[in-house]
Amino acid sequence: MAEELRKSVFNEELITHLSDAFSREMSSFDKQAFHELVFQQDWEDLGLKERMRRITLSMHEVLPGDYKEALYILYKVAPTVGGLQGTIFPDYVELYGLNDWEASIKALAFFTPFSTSEFGVRPFLIQDKNRMLQQMIEWAGDENHHIRRLASEGSRPRLPWGQSVPELKQDPKQTLPILEQLKRDESLYVRKSVANHLNDISYIEKDWMLDVMKKWYGKDVKTDWIVKHACRSLLKKGDPEALSLFGYGDDPGVSVTELSLQPHTITIGDSIDFSFELSVEKTMPLRIEYGIHYVKAKGNRTQKVFMLKNVQAKAGQTLTVTKKHAFKDLSTRKHYSGTHTLSVIVNGVVKAEADFVIEQRLKKLF
């Protein structure tokens, strides 16, 4: 998947498009020099972000040396390039615009609707955190939902692929004024970012984050969605305080029976089918999950939790739950032989378990 993404995003087709677009805005643009700068001998070995950076560096070599003159051309071309490909424009600002704050901040806001400037803002947070956070508070009130999202996404304490901002990791509470402005945002795109931002904070300042969630919850439908999505990691971990916020409590009247798992022995690449009966004595909300205790390369085991369903169960109700789970090797997960365990988890509590064995697939001799 990563290999396909790398080649489909930053490729010769993009460079041809950029060359043509730059040539229309700059008569002296050297297409051949740009092509040679990008496609050096090591191009095929470069990863996704390395390819992006190579293109940015190459643009700098062939565009005007004056930063604002180069920005003028980038403003013209950026609307023709979207998605991940468009990250080259905020990357240019990140590399060459730190000494021209006003022009760069305007450029980051301009570029983000066509792609995202969430990575480009990080060096500005490092250079002058207070000034940048104030700018993000202003962005949080913008009429464009892409710019409002940038305020939240760009200031995330643990932004995936983003440059680390140590001061935000050490004290993520500083971004609360931004999140407060966005907690009822009309755009789901923005609300997802706010939820992801808060989920980041749950790894750093869990108690403080939960205190904020308690204050927010139950007052607005849009905010409630954010709160629940923000607590997803804590809920998966079975955190009692997070579970209780949504009414998920351990109750002796909840029972899981008839846990069946077939087959009991599989090879890597196969699937198991499992089912169980869940009964409740009183009306209550249920968060039903299952965990797989995976055997790792060194023989130890780690659990990953998967969601099954949320239900409002009625008194005396019995639910039959069935599921198939595949054990195919992925880029993000490799399977190893040994005894694994499947756990049924209800409201954060393990209610039933069953073992099964994974064997290595035999290689064909002929």
Side-chain angles (χ1 to χ4, degrees):
M1 180 65 180
E3 177 73 8
E4 293 175 5
L5 184 63
R6 177 175 69 97
K7 291 186 175 181
S8 66
V9 173
F10 299 117
N11 51 29
E12 188 155 4
E13 183 181 354
L14 172 63
I15 301 309
T16 299
H17 173 80
L18 289 172
S19 294
D20 292 341
F22 287 143
S23 294
R24 288 192 292 270
E25 305 299 332
M26 179 182 172
S27 59
S28 62
F29 184 82
D30 191 334
K31 288 186 176 183
Q32 183 176 345
F34 183 48
H35 189 279
E36 290 175 356
L37 285 165
V38 172
F39 296 112
Q40 296 177 41
Q41 269 192 325
D42 61 347
W43 175 256
E44 287 301 321
D45 299 323
L46 299 182
L48 185 71
K49 290 198 73 175
E50 292 171 322
R51 286 191 173 199
M52 176 194 70
R53 181 54 55 85
R54 170 67 60 77
I55 295 170
T56 305
L57 294 170
S58 301
M59 289 194 306
H60 185 252
E61 291 295 318
V62 291
L63 289 175
D66 181 83
Y67 177 63
K68 286 182 179 176
E69 286 183 28
L71 271 188
Y72 177 81
I73 295 173
L74 296 180
Y75 269 70
K76 298 287 188 179
V77 176
T80 71
V81 183
L84 279 175
Q85 292 180 331
T87 55
I88 57 175
F89 302 107
D91 193 52
Y92 194 95
V93 176
E94 172 182 339
L95 283 183
Y96 304 110
L98 280 172
N99 293 326
D100 193 335
W101 188 280
E102 296 297 332
S104 294
I105 294 305
K106 289 179 182 177
L108 290 169
F110 178 83
F111 293 142
T112 205
F114 309 112
S115 175
T116 177
S117 295
E118 65 198 64
F119 309 116
V121 301
R122 307 295 276 189
F124 292 86
L125 277 166
I126 293 170
Q127 184 188 63
D128 193 335
K129 180 204 64 183
N130 292 335
R131 187 179 183 185
M132 194 66 230
L133 287 178
Q134 185 57 47
Q135 178 61 58
M136 288 174 158
I137 290 172
E138 292 180 28
W139 279 344
D142 198 275
E143 63 180 18
N144 188 306
H145 72 283
H146 291 280
I147 296 175
R148 297 199 304 275
R149 177 189 179 270
L150 177 60
S152 168
E153 196 70 12
S155 59
R156 282 179 60 178
R158 292 159 49 101
L159 179 66
W161 292 6
Q163 185 176 355
S164 176
V165 182
E167 285 191 62
L168 292 185
K169 272 191 172 181
Q170 292 164 8
D171 183 14
K173 301 174 186 177
Q174 301 172 83
T175 62
L176 183 60
I178 299 168
L179 306 182
E180 286 280 2
Q181 274 192 261
L182 300 172
K183 67 184 179 182
R184 295 186 181 89
D185 202 277
E186 292 293 327
S187 169
L188 180 60
Y189 187 47
V190 175
R191 296 200 303 275
K192 283 182 178 178
S193 176
V194 175
N196 290 335
H197 189 132
L198 288 160
N199 185 59
D200 285 356
I201 296 176
S202 74
Y203 287 91
I204 306 167
E205 289 278 359
K206 184 195 80 168
D207 293 339
W208 177 83
M209 178 268 195
L210 281 173
D211 285 343
V212 173
M213 295 301 90
K214 290 173 187 175
K215 293 174 184 175
W216 283 14
Y217 192 61
K219 298 180 177 64
D220 181 86
V221 173
K222 295 183 182 69
T223 309
D224 287 352
W225 184 93
I226 290 175
V227 172
K228 198 155 192 178
H229 197 62
C231 291
R232 65 188 184 276
S233 293
L234 294 176
L235 291 171
K236 275 196 170 187
K237 293 174 184 175
D239 184 89
E241 197 172 353
L243 287 162
S244 66
L245 178 60
F246 305 105
Y248 300 127
D250 184 22
D251 193 290
V254 177
S255 61
V256 172
T257 57
E258 306 296 328
L259 175 58
S260 173
L261 192 155
Q262 294 294 333
H264 290 282
T265 300
I266 62 172
T267 55
I268 295 173
D270 292 340
S271 300
I272 59 169
D273 294 283
F274 66 93
S275 64
F276 57 88
E277 302 272 310
L278 190 156
S279 302
V280 295
E281 294 180 358
K282 64 182 183 182
T283 298
M284 62 186 302
L286 297 178
R287 178 182 173 88
I288 309 170
E289 302 166 293
Y290 70 99
I292 302 289
H293 297 260
Y294 288 99
V295 175
K296 308 305 288 182
K298 294 182 179 180
N300 59 310
R301 303 201 311 174
T302 59
Q303 180 181 238
K304 181 170 176 59
V305 176
F306 302 89
M307 191 66 195
L308 281 168
K309 60 176 69 179
N310 284 301
V311 296
Q312 182 68 28
K314 296 179 181 179
Q317 185 176 7
T318 297
L319 303 173
T320 300
V321 181
T322 62
K323 179 70 177 177
K324 178 188 287 288
H325 187 96
F327 292 86
K328 182 180 179 181
D329 281 344
L330 306 169
S331 59
T332 54
R333 184 180 303 120
K334 183 173 175 59
H335 297 88
Y336 299 92
S337 59
T339 300
H340 294 58
T341 300
L342 182 144
S343 303
V344 177
I345 305 166
V346 183
N347 290 358
V349 179
V350 175
K351 293 292 184 178
E353 290 186 319
D355 292 339
F356 61 99
V357 175
I358 293 183
E359 298 177 340
Q360 292 284 354
R361 189 179 295 276
L362 295 176
K363 295 181 179 179
K364 292 183 179 179
L365 297 178
F366 303 99

